[in-house]
Amino acid sequence: MTEFLRSPSVRGWWQQRPPAGRRNLLIVAVTLALAAEAACLLTGAHPALPLVAGFLVFVSLRPFPGVVYAATVFYAPLGLWMLGVQRLFADAFGGRDYVLSLSASAVVCVLLLVTMIRRPPSRRQVAAGAGVVVLAAVWVLIGVLQQDIPQTLVGARLTAIPVILLLVVLGLTARELHLLITVTAGLVIANAVAAVAEYVIGPARLIEFGFEPDRAIRYIGTTFRAPGLTEVNAELGLLCGAYLLGYAALWLVRDLRPNRVWWHAGAGAAAVGLALSTSRTGALLLAGGMVAAIVLNRGGGPAARKRARWIGVAVVACVTAGFAAVGATGASSTFERLQVWGDLLRSGAPWYGRGVGSVGAATTSRASSSPQVFVDNYFVSIALQFGVPVLVAVIALLVWALVRLTRGSRLHPEYAVHLAVLAGLSAGCLMIEVWEYANAMLCLVTFVAYAARAMPPPPDPPPPVEPAAQPAAQPAAQPAAQPAAQPAAWQDPAETARLHLDPAETVVMRQPSADETVILDKVDDTVILHHPVVPENPERRRR
C-alpha cells in the first residue's frame, strides 16, 4: 500500500507489477466487487453503493485525481445536480443529498494523510501543526458548550478546509499543478457559459426547471444574479475573481506568464462570470490583490513595473465596465453591512469568543441548532468565534507576512503572486467570509502553489575563490653553463644559432635573414622557437 501511495502515477505502478501480480490484483478486485453487490442485494442497499464507494477510495489515495474531484464538486455543484451525480451519491448512501459535498471534504482530509506519507514533514513542522491543532481544540470545546456538536463540527470543517487544501496542493508536482490550472480554467469556462444561458433564459423559467428561489435565484434590486454552475451567485463571483487574480498576478512574473490558450480563455470567461454574478466581493478581491501586488512588489525593473501598472488599470477598468453594464453599481448593501457589524460587535460576546461554528455559514447549515447569524466580514467572524485577542494576532500576522513578502520580492519574483493572493484575500474578507468558500480558497491556493513550484530556482552563487599560495621567494642563481645543444633532425646546424643569456644582460642581435632560425634560451631554460617575419618579395614590389 505504501508503494502505491508513493508511486508518481498509477500507470507506472501497474507496469512495475509482474504479470502474476496483476492477474491476482484483478481477481481480488472482481471478487470484492461481486461480493459487495451481493451484500447490497441482501441488505437492501442501493446497487450503486460499491461503485461510488470504490471511486471515493481511489480518489482519496491519489492526490491529483482527488484534488480534481474536489475541484469539480466545489466549482460546479449545481452542474453535478443537473447531471444527476448528486442524486446518484444521495441514493447510494440512503437518500442523503449532502453526501456529494461532504465527500469532497472527506477526500481532502484523507489526502492530507497521503501527502504526509509521500512528503514526510520535519519534526519542526509536526510540532507546529500539533500546536495549532491543540489551540483549535480549545475553541472547538467552547463551541460544543455553546451549541450542538454537529453545528460545531460544521464550523470546524469550514475553518480547517482552506489550510488542508493548501498543504495538499503544495504536495503536487509542477506538472500536476499546471494541469490543475487547466482543469480550473475549463470549469470556469463552463460556469461562464451556464451564467450566460441563465441570464438569457431568465429566473422565471429557471424556477420551473427546479432552481431554488433565494438561493440559486437571487436579485440585487431588480438585477438577476446568475449563479452559473455554483449554488449561489457569491460562489460564482468569488471563483471568477480568484481565477482572474491568480491569472493576472502570473503576468507580473516573467518566468510564470500564462502561455496556454485554455488559461487565456478561462480569464475571459471569468470576467463574464464575475460581471453576471454581480459579486462586489469578487471584484474587491481582484482589485485589492492587484493594487497591492503592483504597489508592494519590488521585483523586476522599471519596464516590468510600468507593465504591471497598466495590467492593474486594465483589470479595474474591465471590472467597473462589467458591473456598470449589468446595473450592479449600487452600494446600499455595503452600508447595511456596516450597521450589522456594529450590532454584532456590541452584542456582548466574551473576550475569548463564542467558539467555532457560532456564527457564519455553520449557523445556516442543516446541522444548525442556533439562530442564523450573518456576518459578511470574516474579521468580525474571527472576533465573535475566537475572541478579540485572536483577531489582533491574526491582523499582526497578516501585516508581518505582507512586509516579509514585500522585502523578499526583490530576490524572489514569485512573491508577487503571493502578495496578490494574500492582499486580495484580506480585502475580500472585509465584505464576506471568503475563508469559508472552499471554491475560492482552492483556486487561490492553486495559484500560490504553482508560483512556488513552477518558478525556477535562483542560480547558486559562485563559490568563493581562495587566493593561491605564493611560493617562497628563492634567491636568484646564476645559470650554469649549458652544453651545446644538438640540432634536431629538421634543423641545419649551419643555419641555427643558440645563445645563452644572463638575466642581467641585454643582448642586441642583428636582424636575421629570411632563411635563418634563431633559438633563444629564457632564464628558466625554456627554449622558444622564433620564426621571423618573411620580408616581402622584391620581385612582387617591382610589379
Side-chain angles (χ1 to χ4, degrees), residues 288-487:
M290 285 304 300
V291 170
I294 293 171
V295 173
L296 300 179
N297 183 29
R298 296 292 181 266
R305 296 180 184 177
K306 182 178 180 180
R307 181 173 56 252
R309 288 193 292 270
W310 281 110
I311 292 174
V313 171
V315 168
V316 175
C318 291
V319 171
T320 305
F323 275 77
V326 299
T329 56
S332 59
S333 62
T334 302
F335 294 105
E336 293 176 358
R337 292 179 182 181
L338 293 175
Q339 183 178 358
V340 170
W341 300 338
D343 295 339
L344 289 173
L345 293 176
R346 290 189 298 268
S347 62
W351 64 270
Y352 52 83
R354 300 175 182 174
V356 176
S358 57
V359 297
T363 62
T364 62
S365 65
R366 59 173 48 88
S368 175
S369 60
S370 63
Q372 296 181 356
V373 181
F374 297 96
V375 181
D376 288 338
N377 185 316
Y378 197 66
F379 293 103
V380 177
S381 178
I382 291 175
L384 295 177
Q385 293 186 81
F386 303 95
V388 175
V390 175
L391 173 63
V392 174
V394 169
I395 295 176
L397 183 62
L398 283 175
V399 174
W400 172 82
L402 290 173
V403 172
R404 185 177 179 85
L405 290 174
T406 300
R407 293 178 177 177
S409 61
R410 189 181 302 274
L411 298 179
H412 300 275
E414 69 275 13
Y415 283 6
V417 180
H418 302 168
L419 271 171
V421 169
L422 184 59
L425 178 60
S426 303
C429 285
L430 291 172
M431 300 298 295
I432 203 172
E433 300 93 329
V434 181
W435 187 270
E436 296 181 353
Y437 286 80
N439 60 346
M441 295 306 301
L442 177 56
C443 186
L444 292 175
V445 301
T446 299
F447 282 101
V448 169
Y450 177 76
R453 294 290 185 196
M455 187 68 185
D460 296 332
V465 180
E466 297 182 358
Q470 298 293 336
Q474 299 293 336
Q478 297 293 333
Q482 299 292 336
Q486 299 296 330

Side-chain angles (χ1 to χ4, degrees), residues 43-139:
T43 59
H46 197 277
L49 178 59
L51 177 63
V52 173
F55 171 77
L56 292 177
V57 169
F58 172 75
V59 296
S60 298
L61 299 179
R62 301 301 305 174
F64 181 69
V67 173
V68 171
Y69 169 72
T72 306
V73 175
F74 292 152
Y75 296 161
L78 191 59
L80 296 178
W81 169 77
M82 290 187 288
L83 293 175
V85 177
Q86 181 180 357
R87 174 54 54 188
L88 175 64
F89 275 64
D91 293 341
F93 288 91
R96 298 174 176 86
D97 56 356
Y98 57 85
V99 170
L100 181 62
S101 60
L102 187 62
S103 66
S105 300
V107 166
V108 170
C109 293
V110 176
L111 287 178
L112 176 61
L113 301 177
V114 175
T115 302
M116 295 177 65
I117 295 175
R118 291 165 60 94
R119 298 175 180 270
S122 62
R123 294 183 178 179
R124 184 177 180 180
Q125 293 172 339
V126 172
V132 172
V133 171
V134 170
L135 289 177
V138 174
W139 278 275

Side-chain angles (χ1 to χ4, degrees), residues 144-182:
V144 170
L145 298 177
Q146 297 289 334
Q147 62 265 344
D148 291 344
I149 294 179
Q151 178 179 341
T152 304
L153 293 180
V154 171
R157 175 175 63 87
L158 295 174
T159 305
I161 282 296
V163 179
I164 297 176
L165 286 173
L166 177 61
L167 298 177
V168 172
V169 175
L170 281 174
L172 300 178
T173 63
R175 178 178 176 274
E176 291 172 338
L177 290 169
H178 192 280
L179 293 176
L180 182 58
I181 294 181
T182 304

Side-chain angles (χ1 to χ4, degrees), residues 274-295:
L274 179 59
L276 294 180
S277 70
T278 68
S279 173
R280 273 83 57 89
T281 305
L284 180 61
L285 183 147
L286 170 61
M290 285 304 300
V291 170
I294 293 171
V295 173

